[in-house]
Amino acid sequence: MRERQGLTRAYGMLALAWALLIVLQVFFAGLGIFGASGYATHRAFGNILHGLTAILLILAIIGPRTSRDIGMAAALVIVVTIQIGIVGARDDAPGLAALHPVLALVAMGLAAHMGMHALRAGRRPDRVAAPAG
């Protein structure tokens, strides 16, 4: 039971860290947009973030093991996979490719929710309150 709680905590912490790393990813995109560098760092870091979504899914399966946590982790993998894939549509369907940053925001919100949910569910009160009376 204690091992499972540790995995649930790791899942929650990684999900929150993932959400925060999106801020760094946006910075890397900004470097490319404003010409300070190319998009290579943004692309490489995006691939790392995509890999971390797979780790989150594995942790959801072996840690919390609830259908809600597994579903949210699977949804994160799917959203990020679609988000990465639509970049290739920028020449043929720029309106579709423009959803790339929007899906990043969706993924960030989902990851933050995953983390807060897991960490909140993993907390246990140190003691039970005495009945009033």
Side-chain angles (χ1 to χ4, degrees), residues 11-126:
Y11 162 77
M13 296 298 288
L14 181 58
L16 288 176
W18 194 95
L20 289 173
L21 288 172
I22 293 299
V23 175
L24 184 59
Q25 180 66 335
V26 169
F27 173 74
F28 293 147
L31 289 175
I33 290 168
F34 296 109
S37 70
Y39 288 98
T41 304
H42 177 74
R43 191 175 6 244
F45 195 65
N47 289 331
I48 291 168
L49 289 171
H50 192 217
L52 288 176
T53 64
I55 293 170
L56 279 166
L57 179 57
I58 292 166
L59 284 173
I61 292 167
I62 63 175
R65 290 186 250 169
T66 67
S67 59
R68 179 178 177 175
D69 289 301
I70 294 168
M72 287 189 296
L76 184 65
V77 171
I78 292 166
V79 167
V80 173
T81 301
I82 291 169
Q83 186 228 6
I84 290 171
I86 63 173
V87 171
R90 71 178 159 257
D91 294 330
D92 298 327
L96 179 63
L99 290 173
H100 178 78
V102 174
L103 290 177
L105 292 174
V106 169
M108 181 182 188
L110 178 58
H113 177 74
M114 289 164 52
M116 290 185 298
H117 172 72
L119 295 175
R120 183 174 44 245
R123 287 187 291 195
R124 294 180 176 226
D126 291 328

